[in-house]
Amino acid sequence: MRTMSTPRPILDSPFKLAVIGCALLLASAGALAIFQRHALRSEMEQDATLLHRLASQRADQHDAHLTALSAIAVAANGERHDLFLDVAASIMRFYPRIDEVQLVPLDPDAATIGTSPLDSTTANLVRSTARASDGRIGLLPHPSRPHDYIMVKRSPNSDAARYGLMLGIDAAKLLGEATPFWSRPGVTLSLSLPDGHRLLGPGETTGTIRISRALDSASQPLLMEAGMAIGLDDLFPPVRTSLALLAVGIAYLGLLAALRQRARARAAVEQARLSALDSRLAHASRVNALGEMASGLAHELTQPLTAILAQAQAGRRMLGHGDVAALAPVLNDTVTQARRASTILERFRNWSRPQQMPVSACDLRDVVGNVRTLLTPQAAKRGTRLTFDVPSEPVRVTADPVEMEQVVFNLVRNAIEATGDGSAAGRVSVTLRKTEGRTVLEVADDGPGIAADIRPRLFTPFTTTRADGTGLGLALSQRLVERAGGEITLVDGGPGATFRVVLPRHEGIAEAAP
């Protein structure tokens, strides 16, 4: 079973529209935040990739410098140190990140050749690293410069090595010429040796987004780490956020305007349909009421007309035995007029009587739905609550849909009018159900009910309890229901009044889904 209700359309509820609008703005803000986060991460990854590639290329150049300096040192054979220093000075001039070049003899008593004085601690560190080398370049933090690291290579690069060749490299300049992105607030950049010794940056890389990559250099796999802290200002830039929310708001208002225009157009079409339906029901009601009135008048006038006809015929026979010739035409005319009146009344009754028209199966759910649409405004005006309980599958009967609408319309309207004048809320329920071979429709209200003295003649024409009633509604409904092969009764018991209409089910081919 399904219950038919009259929910308030969303377009007519400012509160619901406001809630939907706020939800839409929140969803838009969330989408903007996700987009901004993705954009910031993409920008950071792009800049980090460029900086990583540049630092890796610079690190590879250091290997070439060590190789060239080692060749010069070996070729000089301990004599042309000026040539070594000239090349070292040229390298430092063109590559500012290389701030120190030292050629340290493995013999502690020999003098160190370099671009700047070298303390004994650093010299001993270079000697020990060169002696322990297996051919690979040693990578160490600079003993006296916190942001520098040193590269140590034995020269020549064999077991017969005589020198330890050292390059001092400024890690900050290795990452120099970075894009403005790295100077933004909340962005951190650090560089560490493979053993974890931090050369640049904070002690720990922080931020909502983090990137960690080692340089693509076999000799200097320094770890470059980047982090970015994302705040509300980053996720919701004022100008972009304002423009985005304004655009969403305008689009939402435009959509509401379009939907309301569409709703108004559909309401106009529906109103036209209901007006046509109301006119059709009103016409059917007037014609059927006229038929009832004609039937009542014919019943009342047939007996006196018949008596006049019989008396006129008797008078004519009596005159046939006398000589009152002047009375004969009058009596003949009386007989003629009496017959004519009887014929006219008979024709009028036949014309006003609802005609038996070919009918087919109609779905009573549609009938109930049309009546609900017509009478809901009247019920709301009186403060009456209408409830409809109908099956979800078709309920087909062999009857004229207009006549069935007239029956249901009369019953529901009477129930609404019986629930009071609007001072207290009333309730009218319409129930439609199917039983074996029958269809049952019940209309119940919680009004005062039907008085006991009226019940015996409830379905008699011109019987009414309202001052402005015609007393033809129930009589007409009974005639229409009986014509469809059913019956209508007043159910005893319970508060108010309950009318039950029982109709035979349509015995056609299996009913199809609507």
Side-chain angles (χ1 to χ4, degrees):
M1 305 290 285
R2 64 177 181 179
T3 300
M4 300 172 61
S5 58
T6 55
R8 186 179 183 185
I10 293 180
L11 292 178
D12 294 337
S13 175
F15 176 74
K16 292 182 179 179
L17 292 178
V19 170
I20 294 175
C22 292
L24 185 60
L25 290 178
L26 289 176
S28 301
L32 178 62
I34 294 174
F35 173 79
Q36 284 294 115
R37 178 185 173 89
H38 178 73
L40 290 172
R41 183 176 185 87
S42 298
E43 183 180 3
M44 181 177 177
E45 289 181 346
Q46 182 177 2
D47 282 76
T49 300
L50 293 175
L51 186 59
H52 177 270
R53 185 182 300 120
L54 179 62
S56 298
Q57 292 173 353
R58 290 173 176 174
D60 288 338
Q61 293 172 349
H62 301 160
D63 292 341
H65 296 328
L66 284 175
T67 300
L69 290 170
S70 177
I72 293 174
V74 172
N77 196 20
E79 296 179 356
R80 294 292 304 276
H81 296 309
D82 56 337
L83 180 60
F84 176 85
L85 292 175
D86 287 343
V87 174
S90 298
I91 292 175
M92 292 174 60
R93 185 169 58 254
F94 287 105
Y95 303 94
R97 63 184 178 275
I98 301 176
D99 54 14
E100 186 178 5
V101 178
Q102 299 288 348
L103 184 63
V104 181
L106 298 183
D107 183 1
D109 296 330
T112 299
I113 300 97
T115 56
S116 61
L118 187 66
D119 60 89
S120 60
T121 302
T122 305
N124 290 331
L125 178 63
V126 172
R127 289 190 185 97
S128 62
T129 303
R131 289 192 184 103
S133 174
D134 57 357
R136 290 178 292 184
I137 295 175
L139 204 61
L140 303 169
H142 198 289
S144 58
R145 298 185 185 126
H147 299 311
D148 282 24
Y149 68 95
I150 61 175
M151 298 177 64
V152 178
K153 180 178 181 178
R154 65 184 183 181
S155 178
N157 193 7
S158 65
D159 294 337
R162 290 178 292 164
Y163 302 99
L165 185 59
M166 183 195 88
L167 287 185
I169 301 168
D170 187 344
K173 294 181 179 179
L174 180 65
L175 297 180
E177 300 178 9
T179 61
F181 175 83
W182 303 106
S183 61
R184 293 173 53 172
V187 177
T188 59
L189 181 64
S190 64
L191 192 66
S192 304
L193 291 174
D195 62 359
H197 179 82
R198 184 79 61 172
L199 299 173
L200 289 176
E204 181 180 358
T205 303
T206 60
T208 308
I209 303 175
R210 299 181 186 181
I211 296 176
S212 178
R213 296 179 185 174
L215 300 186
D216 296 333
S217 172
S219 63
Q220 302 157 80
L222 305 180
L223 183 63
M224 188 184 80
E225 297 177 283
M228 182 177 184
I230 299 179
L232 291 179
D233 291 341
D234 299 313
L235 294 177
F236 302 102
V239 175
R240 182 177 298 181
T241 302
S242 300
L243 292 177
L245 295 183
L246 180 61
V248 171
I250 293 175
Y252 178 62
L253 293 178
L255 178 61
L256 286 183
L259 290 177
R260 282 177 172 168
Q261 180 62 28
R262 182 180 178 184
R264 283 193 291 267
R266 299 174 82 177
V269 174
E270 181 67 10
Q271 184 61 39
R273 187 185 75 85
L274 293 178
S275 297
L277 179 61
D278 193 18
S279 299
R280 186 175 62 178
L281 288 177
H283 175 72
S285 178
R286 288 193 298 268
V287 171
N288 284 286
L290 184 60
E292 292 292 338
M293 294 176 66
S295 297
L297 291 174
H299 176 75
E300 296 295 332
L301 295 177
T302 297
Q303 290 182 354
L305 288 176
T306 302
I308 292 173
L309 175 62
Q311 291 174 2
Q313 289 176 339
R316 188 176 60 180
R317 286 195 298 269
M318 292 174 62
L319 287 176
H321 300 285
D323 191 23
V324 188
L327 189 57
V330 176
L331 293 177
N332 288 335
D333 186 66
T334 301
V335 172
T336 301
Q337 293 301 323
R339 287 178 174 173
R340 181 180 179 185
S342 178
T343 302
I344 291 174
L345 289 176
E346 182 66 23
R347 289 178 180 176
F348 184 74
R349 185 175 66 175
N350 291 335
W351 171 80
S352 61
R353 181 188 297 123
Q355 300 299 310
Q356 181 71 30
M357 300 178 63
V359 295
S360 58
C362 70
D363 192 347
L364 282 186
R365 298 183 307 164
D366 297 335
V367 171
V368 173
N370 289 336
V371 173
R372 167 182 171 270
T373 305
L374 289 172
L375 291 180
T376 294
Q378 179 179 343
K381 184 176 180 181
R382 300 179 65 90
T384 300
R385 181 185 176 189
L386 282 178
T387 61
F388 294 80
D389 190 8
V390 300
S392 58
E393 65 275 7
V395 182
R396 302 188 184 278
V397 296
T398 305
D400 182 77
V402 176
E403 294 182 354
M404 291 300 100
E405 289 176 7
Q406 183 67 43
V407 172
V408 180
F409 182 92
N410 288 338
L411 294 178
V412 177
R413 182 182 59 185
N414 289 345
I416 293 174
E417 293 176 352
T419 56
D421 56 358
S423 58
R427 186 175 184 274
V428 175
S429 62
V430 180
T431 304
L432 180 63
R433 65 179 185 272
K434 296 190 295 186
T435 60
E436 286 189 25
R438 299 191 308 168
T439 298
V440 179
L441 173 72
E442 289 186 351
V443 179
D445 63 71
D446 59 356
I450 307 298
D453 58 332
I454 297 180
R455 292 194 176 198
R457 49 192 178 89
L458 187 61
F459 295 96
T460 302
F462 310 109
T463 298
T464 180
T465 59
R466 300 195 308 271
D468 57 344
T470 62
L472 294 174
L474 289 178
L476 171 62
S477 298
Q478 184 184 49
R479 174 172 293 188
L480 297 179
V481 170
E482 290 177 349
R483 179 183 304 171
E487 60 179 4
I488 179 172
T489 57
L490 174 65
V491 180
D492 294 327
T498 300
F499 286 89
R500 177 179 297 162
V501 177
V502 180
L503 294 169
R505 295 266 296 277
H506 176 63
E507 300 296 336
I509 302 175
E511 295 175 352

